[in-house]
């Protein structure tokens, strides 16, 4: 079932849309697909409450801890091979679960703006010899065609729909390392990211143990820009991770590397009042053309938002799809968005709908080809995206 609704609606219509959305979520989560990728999602989705108050989490993130945060992008084993394909068949038979996004309802008055740490000094760009020839670049040398660029000028990150995206900081209580990922606002009080950004499921770059546990002190900074938080920083009160990630041993490709956070309000306002939020739709990751956003640490030292435009390139196996991108660690959890942007006058239907299709999950096991992999979001099964979204929406009144 597909919900087709305009991005903006009056309060009665919006209330009706939310009721239908909840009904579809409940129906999809109740249905059990026992074959294919959905069968891998029939596992319990762990949840956790924040272990500290909003104030304590804010105070935890000193400038040093923020600047010391390490990027985290899981990599598949050396035996992993991409499989170029035009169409993704995994996830077929699933009901489609979708809902529209919304624009922010408050103007940007600067009341939440703050500086989290001093600006990161940028290394000068490498000099290149002048040439009259067009040189082939990595962007197209492997067959995974894409364009990756900094979001510019800096002020652009505070405009819609870029302001929906931000940087996510986490703390590993076992190793005492601070980590950084990317994330995006998905519903009124909910933020979506990768499962591995909030939950340690097995041996990884930050902890080689097989212990399973939630990271703590999660702090989301929408429109983050080189230490500046023009829309403030928002702490979590509760989180849920897809069961397929939690029970997957920490390896990738993973069939549902996705998680959802419930954010604390500020001054009686939900985060979406300042940012807006993306729509979403399950399935449909290939064939498609998407915009991938995030804060990779191999570009601009994790300090600025980057954007990749690319089309589906290959199957990564285990219900995942690969797109070309130059973004590396730090972009984990960043949104993959269909029809990203603002529709111009006379634009075809669908342009500017800003529909989230997935989040960044893993990168290549070698230096090339340049790519990112993401799970096809599933609508059904106890550990699926659809199921954890239903749980998150019902966890607190007004979340969705």
């Amino acid at each position: 079932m597909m919900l087709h609704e305009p991005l903006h609606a009056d309060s009665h219509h919006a209330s009706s849309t939310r009721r239908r959305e909840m009904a579809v979520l409940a129906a999809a989560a109740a249905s059990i697909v026992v074959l294919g990728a959905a069968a891998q999602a029939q596992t319990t989705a762990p949840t956790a409450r924040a272990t500290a108050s909003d104030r304590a989490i804010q105070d935890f993130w000193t400038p040093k801890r923020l600047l010391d945060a390490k990027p985290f992008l899981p990599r598949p084993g050396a035996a992993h091979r991409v499989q170029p394909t035009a169409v993704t068949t995994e996830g077929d038979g699933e009901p489609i679960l979708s809902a529209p996004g919304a624009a922010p309802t408050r103007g940007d008055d600067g009341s939440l703006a703050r500086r989290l740490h001093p600006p990161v000094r940028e290394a000068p760009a490498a000099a290149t010899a002048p040439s009259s020839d067009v040189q082939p670049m990595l962007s197209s040398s492997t067959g995974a065609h894409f364009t990756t660029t900094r979001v510019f000028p800096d002020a652009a990150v505070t405009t819609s729909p870029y302001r929906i995206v931000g940087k996510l900081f986490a703390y590993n209580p076992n190793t005492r390392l601070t980590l950084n990922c990317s994330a995006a606002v998905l519903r009124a009080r909910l933020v979506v990211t990768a499962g591995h950004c909030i939950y340690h499921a097995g041996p990884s770059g930050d902890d080689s143990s097989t212990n399973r546990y939630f990271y703590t002190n999660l702090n989301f900074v929408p429109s983050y820009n080189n230490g500046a938080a023009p829309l403030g920083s928002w702490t979590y009160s509760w989180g849920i991770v897809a069961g397929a990630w939690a029970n997957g041993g920490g390896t990738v490709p993973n069939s549902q590397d996705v998680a959802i956070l419930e954010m604390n309000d500020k001054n009686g306002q939900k985060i979406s009042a300042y940012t807006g939020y993306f729509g979403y739709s399950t399935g449909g990751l290939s064939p498609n053309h998407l915009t991938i956003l995030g804060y990779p640490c191999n570009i601009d030292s994790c300090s600025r938002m980057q954007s990749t435009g690319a089309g589906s390139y290959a199957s990564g196996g285990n219900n995942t799809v690969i797109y070309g991108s130059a973004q590396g660690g730090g972009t984990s959890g960043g949104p993959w968005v269909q029809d990203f942007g603002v529709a111009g006058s006379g634009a075809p239907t669908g342009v500017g709908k800003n529909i989230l299709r997935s989040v960044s999950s893993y990168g290549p096991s070698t230096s090339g080809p340049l790519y990112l992999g993401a799970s096809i979001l599933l609508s059904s099964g106890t550990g699926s995206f659809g199921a954890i979204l239903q749980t998150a929406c019902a966890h607190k009144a007004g979340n969705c």
Side-chain angles (χ1 to χ4, degrees):
M1 179 182 295
M2 182 83 76
L3 297 180
H4 295 285
E5 300 291 346
L7 190 61
H8 305 286
D10 60 37
S11 59
H12 174 76
H13 191 83
S15 177
S16 176
T17 298
R18 284 193 294 271
R19 286 195 298 270
R20 289 199 297 273
E21 179 184 347
M22 290 299 293
V24 173
L25 282 167
S31 64
I32 301 296
V33 179
V34 295
L35 298 175
Q40 302 168 47
Q42 311 305 318
T43 49
T44 302
T47 65
R49 292 187 178 276
T51 56
S53 67
D54 171 70
R55 183 71 269 159
I57 296 175
Q58 297 280 7
D59 291 344
F60 173 85
W61 288 104
T62 62
K64 184 179 188 313
R65 282 176 171 151
L66 291 165
L67 289 168
D68 286 347
K70 306 299 182 187
F72 185 25
L73 183 68
R75 300 180 183 279
H80 179 256
R81 296 291 183 271
V82 299
Q83 305 160 25
T85 181
V87 179
T88 297
T89 57
E90 292 174 281
D92 279 1
E94 281 264 304
I96 298 299
L97 182 66
S98 66
T105 57
R106 288 181 62 94
D108 188 4
D109 59 7
S111 61
L112 299 181
R114 53 185 296 215
R115 175 156 286 282
L116 302 178
H117 62 75
V120 175
R121 290 189 177 184
E122 299 168 4
T128 56
S131 172
S132 59
D133 298 327
V134 176
Q135 298 296 316
M137 303 300 289
L138 286 174
S139 299
S140 59
S141 63
T142 65
H145 298 266
F146 64 91
T147 299
T148 294
T149 178
R150 177 196 291 180
V151 175
F152 65 92
D154 285 352
V157 299
T158 63
T159 64
S160 293
Y162 290 107
R163 66 193 292 142
I164 298 173
V165 184
K167 196 168 182 179
L168 178 67
F169 294 93
Y171 176 65
N172 186 321
N174 280 24
T175 63
R176 299 184 180 180
L177 291 174
T178 54
L179 308 169
N180 63 53
C181 277
S182 303
V185 185
L186 184 65
R187 297 288 92 184
R189 198 184 276 125
L190 302 180
V191 164
V192 64
T193 188
H196 72 261
C197 288
I198 76 165
Y199 190 86
H200 184 269
S204 62
D206 68 308
D207 183 357
S208 60
S209 77
T210 58
N211 297 330
R212 295 189 295 175
Y213 56 89
F214 278 91
Y215 299 142
T216 63
N217 294 313
L218 297 162
N219 194 22
F220 176 64
V221 187
S223 296
Y224 172 93
N225 189 61
N226 202 11
L231 302 177
S233 59
W234 298 72
T235 63
Y236 81 121
S237 59
W238 175 87
I240 184 170
V241 62
W245 171 257
N247 297 284
T251 62
V252 291
N254 183 276
S255 63
Q256 288 294 270
D257 184 8
V258 63
I260 294 174
L261 297 172
E262 176 187 287
M263 312 309 291
N264 288 308
D265 295 345
K266 282 185 181 294
N267 305 319
Q269 295 290 326
K270 301 168 189 174
I271 185 171
S272 61
Y274 297 91
T275 63
Y277 56 81
F278 286 133
Y280 63 84
S281 183
T282 59
L285 206 52
S286 174
N288 211 330
H289 185 282
L290 305 174
T291 299
I292 301 171
L293 299 157
Y295 290 85
C297 293
N298 62 315
I299 306 174
D300 285 335
S301 302
C302 331
S303 66
R304 286 183 163 85
M305 190 186 301
Q306 309 294 324
S307 173
T308 293
S312 48
Y313 168 62
S315 169
N318 199 22
N319 197 52
T320 68
V321 175
I322 285 172
Y323 280 52
S325 178
Q327 298 185 47
T331 205
S332 287
W336 293 32
V337 187
Q338 179 178 312
D339 298 320
F340 179 81
V342 177
S345 176
T349 300
V351 174
K353 291 297 185 182
N354 298 300
I355 302 299
L356 180 126
R357 284 292 194 169
S358 194
V359 297
S360 294
S361 172
Y362 63 94
S365 57
T366 62
S367 59
L370 301 176
Y371 71 77
L372 288 171
S375 307
I376 301 170
L377 299 182
L378 301 174
S379 61
S380 64
T382 55
S384 67
F385 167 79
I388 67 170
L389 179 57
Q390 182 205 13
T391 303
C393 286
H395 185 254
K396 185 176 182 179
N399 275 359
C400 290

